[in-house]
Amino acid sequence: MTKSGVAIYLEMELKGIGMMDDTKWKQIVQKGHDQMKEALHRVPENERFW
């Protein structure tokens, strides 16, 4: 996947969680939720499409 042509591109910070570690899925989902909320709050008001 490329970053060109997308409105918002986020890379999740998942240090300490292995790629195949399916025992931490709740932690991964929560981290994704928290990181998305933080990132969306940083988008300037005039650039928001929601």
Side-chain angles (χ1 to χ4, degrees):
M1 175 180 255
T2 65
K3 298 176 189 176
S4 64
V6 298
I8 297 176
Y9 180 88
L10 301 173
E11 289 187 31
M12 286 185 59
E13 176 58 53
L14 295 174
K15 286 184 182 173
I17 299 174
M19 192 72 157
M20 302 301 287
D21 190 353
D22 63 352
T23 64
K24 297 183 179 177
W25 66 270
K26 286 183 182 179
Q27 183 180 359
I28 293 169
V29 169
Q30 186 63 53
K31 280 183 166 238
H33 177 265
D34 295 345
Q35 289 176 31
M36 177 62 78
K37 279 181 62 175
E38 182 181 322
L40 291 176
H41 282 4
R42 288 194 308 258
V43 174
E45 189 78 31
N46 64 330
E47 293 181 23
R48 294 180 185 182
F49 55 87
W50 58 93

